[in-house]
Amino acid sequence: MFYSFKIKSVYKVLVSLVLVVALTACLFMVTNSTILASGENRKLPVYRVDTGENKVVALSFDAAWGADKTQGIIDILNKYNIKATFFLVGFWVDKYEDEVKKLAENGFDIGNHSHNHLKMSTLQAESIVEEIEYVNKKVENLTGKRPYVFRAPFGDYNNKLIENVSKLNMQAVQWSIDTLDWKGINANEILKRVKSKVSFGDIILFHNNSDHVLDALPKVIEYLIEGGYTFQTVSELVYKNGFTIDVNGVQHKQK
């Protein structure tokens, strides 16, 4: 009787373990199917562009607060004959109209960084359009040219934002290299970050009034030139039609 009871107990334990394993496997499959389905439906901005063998990058500068270093950035870029993209916030444009005109006069690309630098994913569609169109109209009035690329503040986006950017015939972009200049790190640390990450088709993020941007920018440019890189604006770099964006945010030209 004792052995019979023991065998039955072991059997029950084994059956329980099998059921637990089976349920866990089912939950894992359901969870991963949900993640996959979510990923397949998720819309992405452009983080980087597949340029094939073309060794090109784009320098970009977000401008929201302050303009003390803007002329210095212009001078450095002009020295190396490089055109870059400046993503402007609406209240920055309102305050620094002369700087906006100067950027355009020097041939730089002006992108849209929203009117009020809000978390755009929290807004309703109507407010998203208002935020973007305010900057588009203001920049067009000042420069004669409407921005084509849009970068969301804080890198914050969702499908609703991407869809509304597309409806405005614009391309949503992010960045593939954050220099972290906004953290106040020094020029050599910024250069080290770029050196460790740079690849073909990268979009490199600076800020127009960060502490060490004027020290870091020449170092980064010279390193990239020595490495055989050329430069385009973000609007030039991204494909405007006939493209796909993969799950990593890399934009590919359709063949």
Side-chain angles (χ1 to χ4, degrees):
M1 290 291 291
F2 174 75
Y3 288 109
S4 175
F5 175 77
K6 187 173 183 180
I7 289 171
K8 288 180 179 179
S9 298
V10 171
Y11 177 76
K12 288 180 179 179
V13 171
L14 289 174
V15 170
S16 298
L17 286 172
V18 169
L19 288 172
V20 169
V21 170
L23 285 170
T24 302
C26 289
L27 286 171
F28 179 81
M29 291 173 65
V30 170
T31 301
N32 278 276
S33 296
T34 303
I35 292 171
L36 179 60
S38 175
E40 287 175 347
N41 294 325
R42 188 182 185 194
K43 299 181 185 299
L44 294 172
V46 175
Y47 285 78
R48 186 174 70 82
V49 178
D50 177 6
T51 59
E53 297 301 312
N54 190 8
K55 209 171 184 180
V56 59
V57 295
L59 302 180
S60 66
F61 301 82
D62 286 359
W65 292 277
D68 298 346
K69 300 182 175 90
T70 304
Q71 184 60 55
I73 293 171
I74 291 173
D75 293 341
I76 292 169
L77 293 171
N78 283 343
K79 175 183 175 181
Y80 294 96
N81 195 28
I82 291 171
K83 299 306 179 190
T85 301
F86 290 78
F87 287 91
L88 308 183
V89 171
F91 56 72
W92 192 92
V93 174
D94 291 338
K95 188 173 183 179
Y96 301 109
E97 291 186 355
D98 289 342
E99 280 76 5
V100 177
K101 293 176 183 178
K102 192 176 297 182
L103 290 171
E105 289 165 0
N106 279 269
F108 297 113
D109 181 31
I110 295 179
N112 189 318
H113 200 35
S114 83
H115 182 193
N116 291 298
H117 207 270
L118 305 173
K119 293 199 75 173
M120 300 288 285
S121 67
T122 66
L123 304 180
Q124 297 300 314
E126 183 179 353
S127 296
I128 287 172
V129 172
E130 289 175 356
E131 280 283 317
I132 297 172
E133 281 290 78
Y134 180 90
V135 179
N136 284 344
K137 292 174 182 177
K138 183 81 177 188
V139 169
E140 188 170 23
N141 287 338
L142 290 171
T143 71
K145 190 172 181 180
R146 179 184 174 89
Y148 172 68
V149 286
F150 171 80
R151 174 178 284 161
F154 314 107
D156 173 67
Y157 69 92
N158 58 7
N159 282 12
K160 179 173 55 180
L161 175 58
I162 301 296
E163 289 164 0
N164 280 282
V165 171
S166 296
K167 287 177 182 177
L168 293 171
N169 296 314
M170 300 174 73
Q171 178 60 58
V173 302
Q174 297 277 63
W175 59 84
S176 50
I177 298 179
D178 185 351
T179 63
L180 295 184
D181 60 340
W182 54 275
K183 285 190 171 184
I185 63 176
N186 65 42
N188 288 331
E189 290 173 318
I190 290 171
L191 175 61
K192 185 178 179 180
R193 282 189 59 80
V194 174
K195 290 172 70 172
S196 68
K197 296 174 180 294
V198 69
S199 183
F200 300 5
D202 272 326
I203 298 172
I204 302 174
L205 170 65
F206 290 91
H207 292 78
N208 78 304
N209 220 42
S210 59
D211 291 344
H212 302 290
V213 63
L214 297 181
D215 297 326
L217 187 56
K219 292 178 181 288
V220 170
I221 290 172
E222 289 175 9
Y223 170 78
L224 292 171
I225 291 173
E226 289 171 5
Y229 283 91
T230 57
F231 302 84
Q232 290 183 338
T233 67
V234 176
S235 294
E236 291 171 334
L237 182 67
V238 297
Y239 301 121
K240 295 179 175 58
N241 50 62
F243 65 83
T244 59
I245 300 175
D246 67 25
V247 295
N248 296 310
V250 180
Q251 187 190 40
H252 302 270
K253 185 72 172 176
Q254 289 179 328
K255 296 180 180 179

